[in-house]
Structures are given as C-alpha cells and as structure tokens.
C-alpha cells in the first residue's frame, strides 16, 4: 500500500510539473509575440538616453514596456482559452487512449483558465495602474529625485486608488443589496471582494463588446476593402492616373512657388498635406493597375462573401440562442467545476461545429478591436507604427485586456459556443440572470442588423440625398470616398 501511495504521489508530482512546463512554454510564446507587436508600434525616440535624467526615464519606459508586454500576453491567452479548450475536447474524443496526448487533460485546461483569470486580475488592478503611475511619477516635492522616489510615489498612488475602488464597491453594494451578510462578505478580500470586482469589470467588458462588436462587424468590410484591390468596372485607370499626375505636378509647382516667397510660408504645411494625399491616391491607383485579374475579380468578392457569411452565421446563432433561452432555462451560461474534458461533444456536428465556433470567436474578437478603435471616443488610443507613446500603449493594453477577458463570457452568453465556462469565468453573478442574458442577446442581434443595414444602404441614401438636393446638408454621416471626386489641375472638381 505504501508503494502504491508513493507511486500515486510521484505521478501527481510529475503531472503537475508537466502542466507547469506546458503553461510556461505557452506563455513564453505569447510573451515573445506580444513583445514584437509592442516594439513595432512604440515610439523609438523613447528608447534613447543621453544623460542621467533620460537614462532614468529609459529605465522607467523599459519597465513599463515589460509590464505592457505581460498584459498583452495575458490578453492573448484569454482569447485562446475557448478555442484551445474546444480543440482539446475534440482531440480527446477522437483519440481517447493515445499515449502521446495524455498530457492533454482536464487538469491542464482548468489550470489554464485559473491562471488566465488570476493574471487578468493582477494586470488589471496592479500591473497596469503601476505602469501608468510609475511612468507619470517624478517623486514627491522636496525628496531626492531618482527611481526610489518614483517607486514610492507610485505605491502611494496605488494605495489611494485601492481605497477609492474599495469605497466605490462598498457604496455600490449598499445600493444594490443592502444586506448584512453581503456587506460582511466584502471583508473576505480574496474569496469574495476580488471575484465580485472582477465580475463587475467583466460586465463592463461585456457591455463594451456589445458596443464595439456590431460597429466592428460593419467596419470590417471597409477595412478589408482598403487592404484588397477592388474590381475595375467601367473605370479607366490610365485616365485617372494621368489626372492625378497633373494634379501632383500642379501642387509641386505651387509648393515651390510658396517656399520661394517668404510671404506665404503659412500655406506650406497645408500644401504638403494635400500633396501627400494626392500621392497616396496615385499609389493606390497604380496598385490597382498592376494587380492581377484573379486578385481584382476573384479574391475581393470571395473575401467579402466570407465576411458576410461570418456575420450572418453569428446573427443566426444569436437568434437561435434567444429561442433556446425562451424555451429552456438550462440554456443560460453557467460555470463547470468538473474536469471531465473529452467526455461528450459540443454538438451533433462534432468537429465541423467546433471549427465554425473557433473561426467565429476569432472573427468577433478582431471585429471588436476594429470597432473599438473606430469609435470616436477611443480614436486617440489608435496605435501608429513607430509613433505610439508609452501612455497610449498602456491604454491600448488595458482596453484589449478588458475586451479579451470578456470574450469567453460573451461567446457563451450569445450561444456562439456551448462549452461551459471554467474557473472564475463561470462564477460571475450576472450570468444567472435571465433578463440580463436575454437583453444582451436581443441588443446584439438588433444592433448588428441595424449596423449592417446602415452600411449596405449608405450608397443608396447618399444617391437619394443628392437627387433631392439635400447632399449639402450633411445628413449622411458615412465617410466619403477619397477617390470619388478629384480636383483637376485648374482646381475644379472632375468626375471620373
């Protein structure tokens, strides 16, 4: 019996070590990818240092960079949680007794969910506030300047922020549930307070996804259309390129005349911006001219049909989930504490349904990010290559972390997948509220449909407004196409 107990303990020890190694390798890959993404957008001038003060700022920027990289890696892990769990479930169903996949078990999956939940709380409430305050700190007045003074000021600001959040949660709990038991439970910081606070953040993230995803789904057609070459139908590209070249030459002559005359130096910047816009239009036209036939006439329609199919399937699944909620109460999203991964398939379609669910989840995540940066409120957080400040990067990392942490909950709430939420993701209080879940599904379906209808009818609305002579009133909010109307050499608008 003692030998059996020893062998069981050894197996448990080796399995735990194996799980730690697998989690470390997965996180290392995500960290390296996140580091390359951030350094691609980070402003290069912030890495230089010439004196002691700039050397101190460089150290602070480097620490903030590492914290942002860690946060972005955690965000990537949150996005991959459901796809990895679904793939693992299907693999274990197909190969239940294969020796080479024994490491893929329920304990590993649950461990990944718990680690992502833990690191999400750590990044959201500790690391990102620390990175921001550490970046903005200079030390208290009268104290000796240096790293230690900045660290001290940062910890003081974190302490005050923690007290502020604690007070806000106490006030909110008093308004929502004025019960002695619920108020006493807030004394339990680790078991109740942090999960309760993270549940509120998850609800806010779900609402943010509800606001960004429909906008992103309609915006995706424009973004992909800018990356691909549109079909050439009843257009003479040579004539357009010739007109653009004439306009570019006229602007260059005007710019040379302004730079030689000191009285018109104020118009130089405006002319330079106009010249850059004309050159960009010329480059786009030349790219369309050089593109092959299959790229213009085949690739663009196929990609647009794929986007339309993905959006339609998403809305259809949400509509089915609404019917399930009205008929069966067990359709509510719920958490699972069991470690029985690989026992049953998610649906009767098996692998095909799993592949569709994974594709839709990635599509919704990309759409939510595109929609987030398309909103006017968050346009200032849009990263630019080699020209993004560290403060903006911190804001981007926090936003992506909130969106990615809410993605598994949103996917399960909308019925995109039937995989039960694991770990702390299934402990959110609002997931069991029928009216919140039903309202969430209805709002997503209605808003997404309205955004798509507005997107595909924008051309018709603009034509009707122009025919009625109301185009000058700016009743249509859709952005105009820069290539729709171009100025000729003499300054008059030329219709091509």
């Amino acid at each position: 019996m003692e030998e059996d107990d020893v062998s069981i303990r050894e197996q448990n020890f080796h399995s735990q070590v194996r799980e730690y190694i697998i989690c470390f390798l997965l996180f290392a890959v995500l960290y390296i990818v996140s580091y390359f993404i951030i350094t691609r957008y980070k402003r290069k001038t912030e890495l230089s240092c010439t004196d002691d003060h700039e050397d101190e700022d460089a150290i602070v920027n480097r620490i903030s960079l590492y914290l942002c990289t860690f946060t972005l890696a955690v965000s990537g892990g949150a996005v991959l949680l459901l796809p990895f769990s679904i793939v693992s479930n299907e693999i274990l169903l197909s190969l239940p007794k294969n020796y080479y996949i024994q490491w893929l078990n329920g304990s590993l999956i649950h461990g990944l969910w718990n680690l992502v939940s833990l690191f999400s709380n750590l990044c959201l409430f500790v690391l990102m506030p620390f990175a921001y305050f550490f970046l903005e700190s200079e030390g208290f007045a009268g104290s000796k300047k240096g790293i230690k003074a900045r660290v001290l000021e940062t910890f003081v600001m974190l302490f005050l922020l923690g007290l502020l959040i604690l007070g806000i949660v106490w006030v909110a709990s008093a308004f929502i549930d004025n019960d002695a038991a619920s108020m006493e439970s807030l004394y339990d910081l680790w078991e109740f307070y942090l999960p309760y606070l993270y549940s509120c953040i998850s609800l806010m993230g779900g609402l943010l996804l509800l606001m960004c995803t429909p906008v992103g789904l309609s915006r995706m057609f424009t973004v992909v259309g800018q990356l691909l070459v549109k079909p050439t139908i009843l257009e003479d590209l040579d004539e357009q390129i010739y007109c653009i070249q004439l306009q570019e030459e006229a602007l260059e002559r005007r710019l040379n005349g302004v730079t030689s005359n000191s009285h018109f130096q104020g118009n130089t910047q405006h002319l330079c911006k106009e010249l850059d816009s004309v050159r960009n239009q010329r480059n786009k036209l030349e790219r369309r001219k050089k593109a092959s036939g299959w790229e213009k006439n085949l690739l663009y329609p196929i990609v647009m049909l794929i986007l339309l199919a993905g959006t339609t399937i998403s809305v259809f699944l949400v509509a089915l989930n609404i019917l399930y909620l009205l008929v069966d109460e067990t359709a509510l999203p719920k958490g699972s504490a069991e470690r029985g991964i690989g026992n049953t398939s998610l649906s009767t379609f098996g692998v095909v349904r799993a592949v569709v669910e994974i594709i839709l989840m990635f599509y919704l995540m990309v759409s939510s990010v595109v929609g987030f940066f398309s909103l006017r409120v968050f346009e200032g957080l849009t990263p630019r290559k080699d020209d993004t400040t560290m403060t903006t990067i911190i804001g981007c990392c926090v936003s992506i972390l909130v969106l990615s942490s809410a993605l598994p909950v949103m996917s399960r709430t909308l019925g995109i997948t039937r995989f039960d939420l694991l770990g702390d993701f299934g402990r959110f209080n609002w997931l069991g509220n029928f009216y919140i879940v039903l309202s969430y599904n209805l709002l997503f379906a209605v808003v997404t449909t309205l955004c798509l209808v507005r997107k595909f009818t924008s051309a018709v609305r603009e034509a009707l407004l122009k025919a009625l002579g109301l185009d000058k009133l700016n009743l249509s909010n859709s952005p105009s196409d820069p290539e729709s109307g171009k100025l000729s050499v003499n300054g008059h608008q030329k219709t091509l």
Side-chain angles (χ1 to χ4, degrees), residues 210-344:
L210 182 62
M211 181 174 57
C212 298
T213 306
V215 177
L217 289 174
S218 61
R219 179 68 178 165
M220 283 290 291
F221 293 92
T222 304
V223 173
V224 176
Q226 293 174 353
L227 298 176
L228 300 177
V229 179
K230 297 181 180 179
T232 304
I233 301 175
L234 300 178
E235 287 185 282
D236 190 353
L237 294 180
D238 293 330
E239 181 184 357
Q240 295 185 28
I241 293 174
Y242 177 71
C243 294
I244 290 293
Q245 289 176 349
L246 292 178
Q247 186 179 359
E248 183 179 356
E249 293 174 359
L251 288 173
E252 289 177 351
R253 286 195 298 268
R254 289 179 59 187
L255 187 61
N256 293 331
V258 169
T259 52
S260 61
N261 192 345
S262 60
H263 297 285
F264 300 97
Q265 293 294 331
N267 296 329
T268 304
Q269 187 176 4
H270 174 70
L271 290 176
C272 289
K273 291 182 179 180
E274 191 174 354
L275 182 60
D276 291 337
S277 177
V278 171
R279 286 174 177 173
N280 290 332
Q281 293 178 14
R282 178 173 57 83
N283 293 331
K284 291 179 181 179
L285 291 174
E286 290 178 351
R287 184 193 171 201
R288 291 181 62 185
K289 182 180 178 181
K290 295 178 181 178
S292 59
W294 72 271
E295 185 179 358
K296 291 187 293 186
N297 303 322
L298 188 62
L299 181 62
Y300 183 85
I302 289 177
V303 173
M304 289 299 165
L305 287 176
I306 291 174
L307 292 179
L308 183 60
T311 307
T312 305
I313 293 173
S314 301
V315 176
F316 178 72
L317 290 178
V318 173
L320 286 180
N321 190 55
I322 293 174
L323 294 178
Y324 289 149
L325 289 172
L326 295 175
V327 174
D328 189 4
E329 293 182 356
T330 59
L332 285 172
K334 59 181 180 179
S336 176
E338 300 178 358
R339 300 194 176 187
I341 304 295
N343 293 335
T344 58

Side-chain angles (χ1 to χ4, degrees), residues 413-429:
T413 304
L414 295 178
I416 303 297
T417 180
R418 294 295 171 184
F419 193 90
D420 290 332
L421 300 173
L422 304 178
D424 291 334
F425 287 89
R427 295 173 56 187
F428 299 147
N429 299 328

Side-chain angles (χ1 to χ4, degrees), residues 162-209:
L163 290 180
L164 177 63
I165 295 176
L166 178 63
I168 292 175
V169 173
W170 268 90
V171 173
S173 178
F175 275 108
I176 296 173
D177 190 7
N178 191 8
D179 188 9
S182 62
M183 298 295 292
E184 290 179 359
S185 60
L186 283 175
Y187 288 109
D188 195 347
L189 182 65
W190 187 260
E191 293 294 331
F192 182 84
Y193 178 75
L194 286 180
Y196 178 78
L197 185 59
Y198 190 63
S199 177
C200 297
I201 297 297
S202 174
L203 180 59
M204 293 175 59
L207 296 177
L208 185 62
L209 278 175

Side-chain angles (χ1 to χ4, degrees), residues 92-138:
L92 291 176
L93 282 174
S94 303
L95 305 171
K97 297 182 180 180
N98 194 319
Y99 174 77
Y100 296 100
I101 61 170
Q102 294 299 316
W103 56 273
L104 195 62
N105 49 35
S107 177
L108 175 64
I109 303 300
H110 276 261
L112 289 174
W113 282 75
N114 291 328
L115 285 177
V116 170
S117 176
L118 174 63
F119 288 153
S120 298
N121 283 281
L122 181 65
C123 293
L124 193 59
F125 300 119
V126 179
L127 296 186
M128 285 294 95
F130 177 85
Y132 177 76
F133 290 136
F134 191 46
L135 193 66
E136 298 293 330
S137 64
E138 296 180 357

